[in-house]
Amino acid sequence: MILIWLFMVPFIGGLLCWQIERFGVTLPRWVALTTMFIVLVLSLYLWHTGDYSQTLLGSHGNGHWVEQFSVPWIPQLGISFSFGLDGLSLLMVVLTGLLGLMAVACSWKEIARNVGFFHLNLMWNLGGVIGVFLATDLFLYFFFWEMMLVPMFFLIALWGHNIPGGTSRVFAATKFFIFTQASGLVMLVSILSLVFVHYRATGTLTFAYDALLHTPMSAATEYWLMLGFFVAFAVKLPVVPVHSWLPDAHSQAPTAGSVDLAGVLLKTAAYSLLRFAVPLFPHASVSFAPVAMWLGVIGIIYGALLAFSQNDVKRMVAYTSISHMGFVLVGIYAGTEQALQGVVIQMLAHGISAGALFILCGEIQERLHTRDLREMGGLWANFSYLPPIALFFAAASLGLPGLGNFVGEFLILLGSYKAAPVVTIFATSGLILAAVYSLMLVQRAFLGKPKNNEKLSDLNAREVVTVVTLMLLLLGLGLYPQPVLDLSRASMAAVQEIYQSGSEPLAAASTTTTMGSP
Amino acid sequence: MSFLYVHGGLTPAQWITLLPILILSATIVFVTGAIAIKRHHWWNATISVAGLNLALLPLFVHFWLPQLWTLPLPQTVTPLLGIDGYACFYMAMILVTALATATLSHAYMEGYNGNREEVYLLLLLSTLGGLVVVCSRHFASFFIGLELLSVPLYGMAGYLVKERRSLEAGTKYLVLSAVASAFILFGMALIYSQMGTLAFAEIGAHIGVIGGSERSVIVLGSAMILVGIGFKLSLSPFHLWTPDVYEGAPAPVTSYLATASKTAVFALLVRYFVEARAYQMPSLVNVLSALAILSIIFGNVLALRQDNLKRLLAYSSIAHFGYLLVAVIASGPLAVEAVGVYLLTYVVTTLAAFGVVTLMSSPYNDHDAEDIFDYRGLFWRRPYLTAILTVALLSLAGVPLTAGFIGKFYVITAGADKHLWLLLAAVVLGSAVGLFYYLRTMIQLYLRQRWVQKYSAPLNWAQGTGGAMVVLLMLAMLLLGIFPTPFIALVQAAGLL
């Protein structure tokens, strides 16, 4: 039952935000803050009380979710309103709650008009994301997957920035929507085909995740269906040839939208790969893995190179996201337990660090009224808090040991090396490129000769609390990641087992050929 | 009661199943008389609405309160009409649509200086035609129904006689509709020349055993009927009349044209394909596939640069009927169900969209509120009305939480079931293109206005019957999107096979 509340609270809170605006402009902010706080507390309560050594999949699990809830929804089509929770989804929900709080906090000053409607969209978007993380019925999952787009569209289109010389915010929002929705429809075709394959094999029409898991199908069918899922996730992650919506969306979005987009929305794709694409189609995933990993490497290098050449700070951070998500893709398809655990840490660390960088971008923009790096320089002289904090998150982004990103990237590379050494060697270059662009950012924005010596208004208490919280969390994740690793171990071990089972027939085939050839 | 039992006459059960048609016919006579006695807008509209409600009553009880009373289905009333669950479902849908149109017309016609009352008469006549069409299982009743459905529409489209564009719409619709009817008649004649029968079921029974040149004549005849139906449904490449007629006709009439008339024809198309076994002619199915793909492409692409909301909805309806054809091509019980669900969601959504346009317009402005810039910033003036239009646009785009998503989901389900990958690719691409113009329109509603607006719905728009109808439609859209189970059960109960 508590699972229902996890995603219902944002929806109800959102409606409340919208209506309460008539009694006062700051009320929606407080309602939204309370809403996300409740979500965070609920998820931490679940963390505290649940036994996360069990999961639906794998030999360690005992065949059911830690928490689950299910009622029939459209029984004619075998669709149910069912949710399940395990370590992986819990971590994602915690991240959503946390970044939701930050998103509300960082838009306190930035959003001045239509505050109620803004928070309605923000809350509904986060509610949809939580629904994605919890749904265990493929129809329901798709429902949330598509539903979270509309509020995001409004966030960008109505409260975004029109960058002089750039594309308009409506254009960016529309591009974002079309990219994700079109790829989503491809996934819908795949979902339905899978359901019918299952129906023909077993005679039961169902969209339930656990029922569809071991659907027998031919290798070609499995490959095509997997590709249908992969396209949707590749767009959202984003993987390089289909990434072009992301920099546009980020550069026009309001700060809260960017935090939400980079911190949480991109993670739904990585989560979905781990939860759906790999377990539903293990054999196809194994044979697709080399392609996916190379796509990941291309993303790492391409994102880093483009980040280096950006003048708009937010566009730059957007490209670093592409680079970091490349690591996630490599880790997922490496399929070793170390790499998968690294993926989890990387998702959390990137969510926090990219979110923080976007918050800082927003704060710089509020003060300088520009995001152009060419017009900055020497800001260290103008602020006393902001530059060191930005340096901290830039260091996190380059993978400095002691911070969360390092743990994630290190585990991914270590785990992938066993599976695909060449890919890993190329991926490692991403660390060097990350150092280059991160330090370059600090150099261009904060160091050098100041443009003028006047002190600009520094971070206020709200802003300091926001970013310092994120700093502490990132430090915690870097110095003592064990609680998180424990939480996700069972889920990741299960994914790794599925990987092995997926490669077994291939391995068997290769041994017979090697035995037969001499 | 003895007159009921004359030789060859109808049994009581048959009379009862005919109730909706009989009540509606009586209403037409009644309204004619009422107009003759006194022209009174509210009074005549109320009589029409009451008649429509009465005609709907037996169907309503049959579907929603089956424990109280049900119609004795199925009944074959003369060789012409067959009333089964399928027919009843579509009759109910057409009656509800006519009700919505009547209330919207009332809101719209209030500001009209000419004779306002006849529009209800035409509407009722056309509705009667729709009822006959969905019940017909014989070419004769099909044609009679179709003409009864279309001919009053000429008058309705050109109702604002002093306005050039309305007249033009009426004339255009008349000419093209007559051409379409001619095609259909010729097709029927060709089929009759080989089959010697006009009943669907008999055609279906013989179609398997006929071969050679006779078969090719039948295929030709069926193709000509398809051309005629293509005109009525405005499938591409027979769609050229659609945007002009949609734009010129008064907004409530457009909503009727887009929903009730197309629903009736489409329901008939499906019945004809199933009962006359047209699926056994692969060439026809190929033609349908081509029509579907063309409609999806043309509908969506031509809508891209439209700044006129009515024209935009016209193009979008072309695309939507392309999607619907995909379900028809899939064939089978699931396809019939998909068509039912899709038509239901489409009708509710389109009515809501045109309902908002109607409430924004009045015939004595020089034209309807149809330019999308008329709607710029509407959210900050009429937030709830805008919410309704937003939901309608999202529903047309097929976004979850709204009815359109369930419809699109069903179409893709039917296609995936039968492995129609090419058509599904068209649906996916078409939907992606479609998003662009729906979103483009939607965001206009929220942008801050830069100048004083000419158009706004009256402040008390929600208090009239038209407003109440639109609010109900929005609730229906959300209900269909969130909890479609009862509606799906309804459609399943109204299956054809």
Side-chain angles (χ1 to χ4, degrees):
Chain A
M1 209 45 214
I2 197 165
L3 295 184
I4 296 291
W5 286 112
L6 271 181
F7 83 90
M8 281 306 288
V9 165
F11 281 101
I12 299 168
L15 284 176
L16 212 58
C17 288
W18 184 35
Q19 286 303 328
I20 211 165
E21 192 189 0
R22 60 189 70 194
F23 301 111
V25 189
T26 47
L27 280 176
R29 305 183 201 279
W30 284 108
V31 172
L33 210 60
T34 319
T35 307
M36 287 332 290
F37 190 70
I38 294 173
V39 170
L40 191 62
V41 168
L42 280 179
S43 54
L44 290 176
Y45 168 78
L46 280 171
W47 189 341
H48 185 66
T49 54
D51 167 20
Y52 291 93
S53 64
Q54 59 184 11
T55 178
L56 181 77
L57 298 166
S59 54
H60 301 299
N62 51 1
H64 64 78
W65 303 99
V66 180
E67 282 277 338
Q68 55 189 6
F69 178 85
S70 183
V71 286
W73 183 14
I74 310 176
Q76 292 100 330
L77 295 173
I79 294 169
S80 62
F81 202 68
S82 55
F83 298 91
L85 180 90
D86 67 355
L88 177 63
S89 34
L90 178 68
L91 277 174
M92 294 294 118
V93 173
V94 171
L95 181 70
T96 312
L98 176 73
L99 289 178
L101 270 181
M102 298 306 157
V104 175
C106 75
S107 48
W108 209 270
K109 278 271 157 52
E110 186 192 358
I111 304 299
R113 49 196 176 93
N114 317 318
V115 181
F117 194 51
F118 173 84
H119 285 93
L120 170 78
N121 283 305
L122 189 61
M123 292 297 111
W124 279 35
N125 177 265
L126 292 167
V129 170
I130 293 174
V132 165
F133 289 140
L134 295 179
T136 54
D137 178 285
L138 262 68
F139 180 87
L140 184 67
Y141 162 77
F142 182 79
F143 192 84
F144 282 122
W145 177 267
E146 296 278 281
M147 204 188 66
M148 64 188 180
L149 301 181
V150 181
M152 195 67 212
F153 171 81
F154 276 124
L155 284 184
I156 300 175
L158 295 181
W159 291 275
H161 312 284
N162 276 328
I163 300 304
T167 49
S168 81
R169 56 182 198 239
V170 175
F171 174 86
T174 310
K175 189 171 175 184
F176 157 75
F177 201 106
I178 292 178
F179 262 73
T180 35
Q181 165 113 25
S183 60
L185 282 175
V186 176
M187 175 165 74
L188 179 62
V189 173
S190 255
I191 290 177
L192 285 167
S193 307
L194 175 67
V195 167
F196 280 114
V197 167
H198 182 262
Y199 177 63
R200 298 232 162 77
T202 62
T204 43
L205 190 63
T206 176
F207 283 76
Y209 173 69
D210 44 358
L212 292 172
L213 268 177
H214 302 290
T215 306
M217 55 188 135
S218 72
T221 315
E222 192 182 333
Y223 205 85
W224 280 107
L225 295 184
M226 187 276 300
L227 277 184
F229 277 74
F230 185 78
V231 166
F233 303 149
V235 168
K236 199 65 148 275
L237 194 57
V239 173
V240 155
V242 284
H243 67 285
S244 72
W245 60 271
L246 184 81
D248 282 344
H250 268 310
S251 57
Q252 325 296 14
T255 306
S258 285
V259 172
D260 191 7
L261 196 59
V264 191
L265 240 64
L266 305 190
K267 307 303 176 288
T268 60
Y271 166 84
S272 306
L273 280 171
L274 288 170
R275 176 72 81 222
F276 295 102
V278 173
L280 286 172
F281 314 106
H283 306 100
S285 296
V286 168
S287 53
F288 185 67
V291 182
M293 289 172 86
W294 278 112
L295 284 174
V297 171
I298 293 172
I300 292 173
I301 296 173
Y302 178 88
L305 288 180
L306 262 80
F308 179 67
S309 61
Q310 298 303 315
N311 285 323
D312 181 340
V313 190
K314 279 185 90 176
R315 268 187 104 81
M316 192 215 134
V317 182
Y319 277 108
T320 69
S321 289
I322 296 176
S323 183
H324 287 133
M325 287 295 114
F327 279 104
V328 168
L329 192 61
V330 169
I332 290 174
Y333 279 92
T336 61
E337 198 181 326
Q338 260 171 339
L340 291 168
Q341 287 281 44
V343 165
V344 173
I345 301 281
Q346 172 80 350
M347 285 202 278
L348 297 175
H350 174 260
I352 295 171
S353 68
L357 279 173
F358 278 121
I359 292 175
L360 291 171
C361 290
E363 285 161 359
I364 291 176
Q365 187 179 17
E366 270 177 46
R367 288 165 175 80
L368 298 181
H369 305 289
T370 178
R371 296 199 315 245
D372 197 327
L373 277 172
R374 287 167 298 193
E375 293 175 28
M376 297 180 194
L379 290 183
W380 211 291
N382 306 95
F383 299 102
S384 35
Y385 292 128
L386 204 154
I389 293 172
L391 177 64
F392 177 89
F393 285 109
S397 178
L398 68 80
L400 192 76
L403 300 178
N405 306 54
F406 170 75
V407 180
E409 278 164 19
F410 181 73
L411 278 175
I412 289 174
L413 292 173
L414 196 65
S416 308
Y417 190 76
K418 285 178 257 175
V422 184
V423 168
T424 313
I425 290 167
F426 277 95
T428 312
S429 69
L431 287 177
I432 300 161
L433 294 171
V436 175
Y437 64 66
S438 300
L439 295 177
M440 205 62 197
L441 169 71
V442 176
Q443 166 69 29
R444 291 179 70 186
F446 301 111
L447 305 178
K449 204 160 149 272
K451 293 254 155 89
N452 53 23
N453 273 324
E454 62 174 306
K455 278 280 174 193
L456 293 167
S457 66
D458 213 332
L459 301 187
N460 60 29
R462 166 181 59 85
E463 290 163 332
V464 170
V465 168
T466 318
V467 284
V468 167
T469 315
L470 294 177
M471 282 166 83
L472 291 177
L473 285 168
L474 211 52
L475 259 177
L477 205 56
L479 296 175
Y480 189 57
Q482 202 54 40
V484 172
L485 292 174
D486 287 343
L487 193 58
S488 62
R489 167 159 299 131
S491 314
M492 290 303 108
V495 174
Q496 187 262 335
E497 272 180 41
I498 289 167
Y499 241 97
Q500 277 198 332
S501 74
S503 53
E504 262 158 21
L506 296 174
S510 61
T511 46
T512 47
T513 49
T514 45
M515 279 165 71
S517 54
Chain B
M1 291 289 279
S2 63
F3 69 96
L4 292 175
Y5 294 101
V6 290
H7 177 69
L10 302 179
T11 62
Q14 289 173 323
W15 282 108
I16 289 172
T17 46
L18 272 182
L19 267 179
I21 295 181
L22 296 176
I23 295 172
L24 193 60
S25 311
T27 311
I28 294 170
V29 177
F30 214 72
V31 173
T32 319
I35 295 174
I37 293 166
K38 182 168 167 46
R39 283 192 177 278
H40 187 283
H41 186 212
W42 182 85
W43 190 228
N44 292 319
T46 307
I47 295 175
S48 316
V49 168
L52 284 169
N53 272 315
L54 268 182
L56 193 58
L57 190 65
L59 296 169
F60 178 81
V61 175
H62 174 77
F63 280 119
W64 290 107
L65 304 164
Q67 63 276 22
L68 278 185
W69 179 79
T70 52
L71 290 166
L73 298 177
Q75 291 288 338
T76 311
V77 188
T78 75
L80 296 182
L81 299 179
I83 301 176
D84 49 10
Y86 179 80
C88 283
F89 172 71
Y90 285 103
M91 281 205 280
M93 210 148 110
I94 290 169
L95 284 169
V96 170
T97 312
L99 261 176
T101 313
T103 47
L104 288 176
S105 301
H106 184 261
Y108 184 87
M109 287 290 169
E110 274 292 279
Y112 183 60
N113 290 338
N115 289 333
R116 298 177 285 207
E117 290 76 15
E118 277 82 359
V119 79
Y120 302 102
L121 202 55
L122 292 171
L123 176 67
L124 292 175
L125 275 167
S126 179
T127 310
L128 183 63
L131 298 192
V132 173
V133 166
V134 296
C135 295
S136 64
R137 45 192 8 174
H138 191 282
F139 276 139
S141 49
F142 166 24
F143 192 72
I144 294 169
L146 195 62
E147 288 303 287
L148 191 53
L149 175 69
S150 309
V151 173
L153 270 172
Y154 312 152
M156 286 162 78
Y159 200 79
L160 310 176
V161 282
K162 289 173 196 151
E163 226 197 284
R164 194 182 59 80
R165 288 195 306 169
S166 177
L167 262 187
E168 182 193 322
T171 319
K172 215 166 218 169
Y173 190 59
L174 177 136
V175 173
L176 287 169
S177 195
V179 172
S181 299
F183 265 100
I184 291 176
L185 269 182
F186 200 174
M188 287 175 182
L190 284 177
I191 291 177
Y192 182 71
S193 71
Q194 301 304 317
M195 288 292 196
T197 176
L198 289 171
F200 295 171
E202 288 176 41
I203 295 172
H206 293 302
I207 202 148
V209 294
I210 275 179
S213 63
E214 291 168 340
R215 194 179 169 83
S216 54
V217 173
I218 291 173
V219 170
L220 185 64
S222 302
M224 293 188 91
I225 294 178
L226 212 54
V227 169
I229 288 182
F231 267 111
K232 302 276 180 193
L233 293 177
S234 61
L235 296 171
S236 185
F238 314 114
H239 64 273
L240 293 171
W241 60 274
T242 321
D244 293 342
V245 173
Y246 270 47
E247 186 190 357
V253 175
T254 312
S255 72
Y256 181 81
L257 187 66
T259 52
S261 92
K262 288 189 176 182
T263 305
V265 177
F266 207 89
L268 179 94
L269 176 74
V270 173
R271 189 196 281 280
Y272 177 70
F273 256 74
V274 172
E275 290 197 349
R277 308 224 177 127
Y279 286 118
Q280 294 186 358
M281 293 184 260
S283 49
L284 270 194
V285 177
N286 289 341
V287 170
L288 271 192
S289 308
L291 289 183
I293 292 175
L294 282 177
S295 303
I296 292 172
I297 293 174
F298 278 108
N300 281 316
V301 170
L302 292 175
L304 278 181
R305 305 296 304 166
Q306 277 304 330
D307 286 337
N308 182 312
L309 190 56
K310 281 163 96 182
R311 289 183 85 87
L312 186 135
L313 288 170
Y315 285 118
S316 112
S317 87
I318 296 171
H320 278 282
F321 276 86
Y323 303 146
L324 255 171
L325 275 189
V326 174
V328 176
I329 294 161
S331 77
L334 183 62
V336 175
E337 193 181 323
V339 168
V341 172
Y342 199 100
L343 275 175
L344 188 63
T345 59
Y346 169 80
V347 163
V348 170
T349 307
T350 310
L351 280 176
F354 278 113
V356 174
V357 176
T358 308
L359 293 180
M360 292 280 292
S361 313
S362 161
Y364 263 66
N365 282 321
D366 48 353
H367 61 91
D368 286 353
E370 52 194 13
D371 202 315
I372 58 174
F373 300 109
D374 293 340
Y375 291 81
R376 170 168 267 181
L378 186 68
F379 182 70
W380 313 113
R381 286 172 283 141
R382 303 283 180 278
Y384 295 100
L385 194 65
T386 311
I388 295 171
L389 188 55
T390 306
V391 174
L393 287 170
L394 289 175
S395 179
L396 284 171
V399 172
L401 276 186
T402 61
F405 172 68
I406 300 295
K408 190 155 282 173
F409 173 75
Y410 252 103
V411 164
I412 295 180
T413 308
D417 185 26
K418 291 286 156 62
H419 305 292
L420 306 171
W421 303 127
L422 180 67
L423 289 167
L424 284 185
V427 172
V428 170
L429 275 179
S431 307
V433 176
L435 275 178
F436 178 81
Y437 55 85
Y438 294 127
L439 293 180
R440 179 168 167 268
T441 314
M442 195 175 80
I443 205 66
Q444 290 290 340
L445 303 172
Y446 293 87
L447 293 179
R448 284 283 176 180
Q449 71 205 72
R450 302 236 173 90
W451 54 84
V452 179
Q453 294 305 304
K454 243 164 65 175
Y455 295 96
S456 254
L459 260 177
N460 60 348
W461 61 272
Q463 285 153 19
T465 42
M469 179 58 80
V470 176
V471 171
L472 277 179
L473 285 169
M474 184 183 80
L475 293 179
M477 272 192 286
L478 292 177
L479 191 62
L480 266 166
I482 295 167
F483 190 62
T485 314
F487 298 97
I488 293 174
L490 193 66
V491 176
Q492 279 179 337
L496 195 53
L497 301 172

